[in-house]
Amino acid sequence: MNAPHERDKTDDQGRLRPGESDASGATSARNLNFIEQIIEDDLKSNKWQGRVQTRFPPEPNGYLHIGHAKSICLNFGLAARYGGQCNLRFDDTNPTKEEDEYVTSIQEDVRWLGFDWEDRIYYASDYFPQLYAWAVQLIKQGQAYVCDLTAEETRAYRGTLTEPGRNSPYRDRSVKENLDLFERMRAGEFADGQRTLRAKIDMASPNLNLRDPVMYRILHATHHRTGDQWCIYPMYDFTHGQSDSIERITHSICTLEFENHRPLYDWYCNALGIYHPQQIEFARLNLTYTVMSKRKLLTLVKEGRVSGWDDPRMPTIRGLRRRGYTPEAIRSFCDRIGVAKFNSTIDMAVLENALREDLNRRAPRALAVLRPLKVVLENYPEDQVEEMEAVNNPEDPSAGTRQLPFSREIYIEQDDFREDPPSKFFRLAPGREVRLRAAYIIKCVGVVKDDQGQIVELRCTYDPESRSGTPAANRKVKGTLHWVSAPHAFRAEVRLFDHLFKVMDPDDVPAGADWHANLNPDSLETLPACCLEPRLADAQPGEHFQFERLGYFTVDPVDSRPGHPVFNRSVSLRDTWAKIEKQG
RNA sequence: UGGCCCCUAGUGUAACGGCAGCACGACUGACUCUGGAUCAGUUAGUCAAGGUUCGAAUCCUUGGGGGCCAGCCA
């Protein structure tokens, strides 16, 4: 699916319109990924009576990141494509880690990405009574028992990867005793960890998940939703499949590490004799130059390596959003990376390119000088100010034009001048001519230096005949520079970001070191007083601009104040010159 | 040295026993009042070996490489 196609299906907020799907249905021409193939096969065989029901099941114990976005786009996208539904379900079975703050933020992020679960927001914790009843059922069927082994003993009895486990001495308790004990577990008679409820499967199974897995553990903890109603909590494995079952999920899509759990997922559904969804696993997203694990992300926040979960360098949805990523760009990215079972790492350049592609067609252009070098136009009248007309967006004629004040003193980028220009340097140098974007052609006639020999000012002349828009302006000039009129410049802070890590794979470290060694100390550069064209003073939080020749910038929604916007560089423009220069 | 899963250009991802294609990257060139954008082109691949077959990236076997699993986490 290409980007314009996707744009057609979104509303003003960039959301997918209800009922719109990304393809016309089961007979799309587009190549199918392996999950779409499964779904289309199921549709043909009528396995689920034509239904497609998916779900996005986050645990509310952290903020969502770009990896979650892949799953969100997959699950909601599949539902949209095949005329089905996608539920939002919080997998909240561990009260010690989960918080309401996260359930709120997760909803915001999913909605911001452009997806709508309508009224289908569910919580695994709402299923606790049913789950309890199902546990009792398995006890009665002789397929579950209360075990008194400690955590350490349980581990010892489990065996190893290569050796079978041993049966728990409590494995053959009577149904009556198990029922009684389980009831008392629930009633709070026992301390944390004192007993568990376990499924009676096979302690010799080569799949460790089947060696009598724990179904319930005792946890005297306050749950974010059920409070102190329960002191026993079901494990993931005893919750997820049944939750899917309750919600009549057809395709339960999860990441690869749950592959080994699928036999257990199937075992519970079969033993309980309930509706049985199909679990399908795909490879989670990895990106170069960043980390994706919640643990490492949390470490970065806690150690103050970043300013928070929404630091623009973070791969979190909130970080990307604050940096200036759009929902469209993220969705487009998720479309193009594909879905497979191979553990892969996507080049960060793919993400960046998705943003450029989106912002190129919608971001208004502006002139901004990040590292100013003063230029005095010796032949320009002292107090004259002219208004120059500039195109707002060459990709979008409807964006119109704007006026730019021009005067005798202007700023250009320090990088745009070289006293001793290398070959292929098309910019300004002594004796050279260059065009000022939407203004005049100027020529450098002098260089002013301070005591240390640093260039502090350029003396130039302008060609009065070369004003943009007039016929005489059409002379061939090698380079075009951006500029800002010095007396009219609006001073503002601009932040430049680089990769959080210096190397593609942060975990690739020399012996003895850990991933911290790969942190990029220069990932944030703050330029406190850049010179921007005047209208940028009114830029609103979240607004995107292209600073011509520099990149796409977005007004920081956290640190900006009215009249004092702070700009984040969302992504740089492709820079051919930088490439040439790097090659030497 | 148990079990399960995976392996296609640099990175990703298609090809459903029948011409190995696409995207990103890289490199050329054209165009350009953004060294942006756009356009055109080049580059480069089926992990290996056997087998089945008229024909194998695809099916089978063996080998190689990688991932996951020994939480009362999800």
Side-chain angles (χ1 to χ4, degrees):
Chain A
M1 179 177 64
N2 58 32
H5 179 185
E6 182 179 3
R7 179 172 42 175
D8 292 341
K9 305 221 169 205
T10 55
D11 63 18
D12 295 341
Q13 279 75 48
R15 285 193 187 137
L16 284 171
R17 288 199 290 258
E20 290 285 1
S21 64
D22 292 349
S24 51
T27 51
S28 155
R30 206 244 281 179
N31 292 321
L32 272 25
N33 65 48
F34 80 102
I35 298 179
E36 291 165 337
Q37 289 182 22
I38 291 171
I39 292 178
E40 296 205 359
D41 288 347
D42 289 349
L43 253 19
K44 269 184 213 118
S45 69
N46 210 31
K47 180 176 177 184
W48 309 101
Q49 290 77 47
R51 294 167 51 243
V52 173
Q53 181 73 56
T54 57
R55 100 267 94 111
F56 172 61
E59 181 188 12
N61 70 341
Y63 290 92
L64 261 25
H65 55 61
I66 183 73
H68 293 109
K70 178 181 182 182
S71 174
I72 292 165
C73 290
L74 217 207
N75 279 293
F76 280 94
L78 250 15
R81 178 179 177 124
Y82 295 105
Q85 294 179 329
C86 180
N87 300 346
L88 176 62
R89 179 171 75 230
F90 289 98
D91 223 329
D92 55 352
T93 57
N94 186 349
T96 64
K97 293 188 176 173
E98 294 144 7
E99 295 172 22
D100 267 333
E101 180 194 349
Y102 297 124
V103 343
T104 308
S105 72
I106 287 169
Q107 290 183 63
E108 279 172 16
D109 288 350
V110 174
R111 236 191 301 264
W112 177 78
L113 276 171
F115 298 103
D116 185 6
W117 53 88
E118 298 175 306
D119 58 346
R120 298 180 313 283
I121 180 168
Y122 302 121
Y123 298 82
S125 52
D126 284 346
Y127 306 143
F128 284 170
Q130 174 64 263
L131 258 7
Y132 181 85
W134 274 329
V136 170
Q137 180 188 335
L138 288 191
I139 293 171
K140 287 179 177 163
Q141 288 171 189
Q143 293 178 112
Y145 62 96
V146 171
C147 181
D148 299 358
L149 256 25
T150 65
E152 302 77 62
E153 290 166 338
T154 303
R155 192 182 319 125
Y157 272 81
R158 187 158 31 229
T160 69
L161 294 177
T162 51
E163 306 155 32
R166 284 139 50 218
N167 285 352
S168 161
Y170 307 98
R171 200 174 199 257
D172 294 315
R173 288 217 251 235
S174 69
V175 167
K176 191 172 176 231
E177 188 183 4
N178 281 322
L179 248 20
D180 174 61
L181 253 15
F182 187 49
E183 171 58 40
R184 288 160 60 194
M185 277 171 63
R186 180 193 183 174
E189 281 191 33
F190 311 117
D192 287 5
Q194 200 177 341
R195 289 184 220 269
T196 57
L197 182 70
R198 297 227 261 162
K200 193 188 287 189
I201 305 181
D202 177 9
M203 289 306 292
S205 172
N207 182 340
L208 271 58
N209 294 123
L210 262 22
R211 318 242 265 227
D212 289 10
V214 172
M215 293 162 57
Y216 269 91
R217 75 284 215 189
I218 298 171
L219 239 35
H220 291 270
T222 303
H223 186 275
H224 73 108
R225 298 192 81 240
T226 60
D228 296 322
Q229 217 175 311
W230 297 85
C231 62
I232 57 172
Y233 291 91
M235 299 289 289
Y236 165 86
D237 286 305
F238 191 69
T239 305
H240 205 92
Q242 292 97 307
S243 300
D244 287 339
S245 182
I246 290 168
E247 294 174 24
R248 313 305 270 191
I249 300 299
T250 55
H251 306 271
S252 176
I253 298 165
C254 62
T255 45
L256 249 28
E257 66 269 27
F258 291 101
E259 226 159 6
N260 294 332
H261 293 245
R262 191 183 345 128
L264 184 52
Y265 184 109
D266 294 338
W267 191 91
Y268 283 132
C269 282
N270 290 335
L272 258 14
I274 57 178
Y275 173 91
H276 189 161
Q278 178 182 3
Q279 177 179 305
I280 301 168
E281 311 87 13
F282 73 100
R284 64 164 7 126
L285 171 67
N286 296 295
L287 267 183
T288 56
Y289 298 106
T290 193
V291 290
M292 212 69 93
S293 86
K294 276 184 191 169
R295 201 196 94 241
K296 285 178 185 156
L297 258 17
L298 179 64
T299 304
L300 290 171
V301 173
K302 282 193 169 161
E303 292 178 349
R305 312 281 178 156
V306 294
S307 64
W309 286 95
D310 65 347
D311 186 295
R313 292 166 292 179
M314 291 281 273
T316 50
I317 302 297
R318 296 164 106 74
L320 292 167
R321 178 182 185 177
R322 181 171 171 192
R323 176 153 175 167
Y325 271 81
T326 60
E328 288 84 350
I330 293 174
R331 279 191 252 124
S332 164
F333 168 74
C334 291
D335 270 340
R336 59 184 89 179
I337 58 176
V339 178
K341 300 195 70 161
F342 178 62
N343 266 303
S344 63
T345 302
I346 308 285
D347 197 319
M348 182 66 89
V350 179
L351 214 210
E352 294 174 341
N353 190 261
L355 212 219
R356 284 194 193 100
E357 201 170 90
D358 183 37
L359 257 23
N360 177 49
R361 63 181 193 222
R362 57 203 289 197
R365 313 287 123 126
L367 298 189
V369 176
L370 268 27
R371 296 176 178 86
L373 172 59
K374 184 180 270 188
V375 173
V376 178
L377 302 173
E378 296 183 337
N379 60 338
Y380 195 88
E382 284 280 354
D383 294 314
Q384 180 171 305
V385 176
E386 289 181 89
E387 293 293 325
M388 301 302 197
E389 184 172 60
V391 172
N392 283 332
N393 186 350
E395 305 294 319
D396 176 14
S398 75
T401 61
R402 69 187 184 287
Q403 301 299 119
L404 252 25
F406 185 85
S407 67
R408 180 179 154 92
E409 293 194 357
I410 59 169
Y411 291 115
I412 65 168
E413 208 71 59
Q414 288 170 17
D415 283 350
D416 285 339
F417 176 80
R418 287 288 182 85
E419 195 167 18
D420 187 18
S423 68
K424 291 186 189 162
F425 184 83
F426 303 152
R427 284 112 93 140
L428 199 59
R432 280 214 198 164
E433 272 194 334
V434 93
R435 187 189 299 279
L436 294 181
R437 176 76 157 149
Y440 294 100
I441 293 170
I442 63 169
K443 182 180 191 171
C444 178
V445 297
V447 179
V448 180
K449 297 182 183 177
D450 64 12
D451 298 342
Q452 283 81 43
Q454 296 293 309
I455 299 170
V456 293
E457 183 181 301
L458 261 28
R459 309 297 293 192
C460 294
T461 57
Y462 85 112
D463 174 1
E465 304 297 309
S466 66
R467 182 173 170 146
S468 286
T470 64
N474 293 329
R475 288 163 48 199
K476 286 285 175 211
V477 179
K478 230 3 184 172
T480 300
L481 308 187
H482 58 277
W483 55 275
V484 171
S485 167
H488 302 91
F490 170 66
R491 296 276 178 166
E493 178 175 322
V494 174
R495 295 167 183 175
L496 306 182
F497 307 107
D498 195 359
H499 301 313
L500 251 182
F501 292 88
K502 294 181 288 192
V503 296
M504 294 221 293
D505 178 7
D507 287 319
D508 180 19
V509 283
D514 81 337
W515 55 276
H516 285 85
N518 286 325
L519 273 164
N520 177 7
D522 305 315
S523 59
L524 167 65
E525 183 176 7
T526 301
L527 303 171
C530 299
C531 295
L532 318 187
E533 70 170 76
R535 69 145 170 178
L536 259 11
D538 299 322
Q540 297 304 303
E543 227 183 321
H544 309 284
F545 296 92
Q546 184 200 93
F547 290 177
E548 292 206 27
R549 306 210 303 137
L550 296 174
Y552 296 96
F553 292 75
T554 303
V555 181
D556 190 286
V558 176
D559 293 333
S560 296
R561 281 170 295 119
H564 295 278
V566 170
F567 292 84
N568 293 329
R569 184 171 69 189
S570 310
V571 64
S572 65
L573 242 27
R574 274 209 193 82
D575 191 344
T576 310
W577 167 244
K579 221 177 281 174
I580 293 170
E581 206 179 22
K582 205 174 170 185
Q583 288 167 1

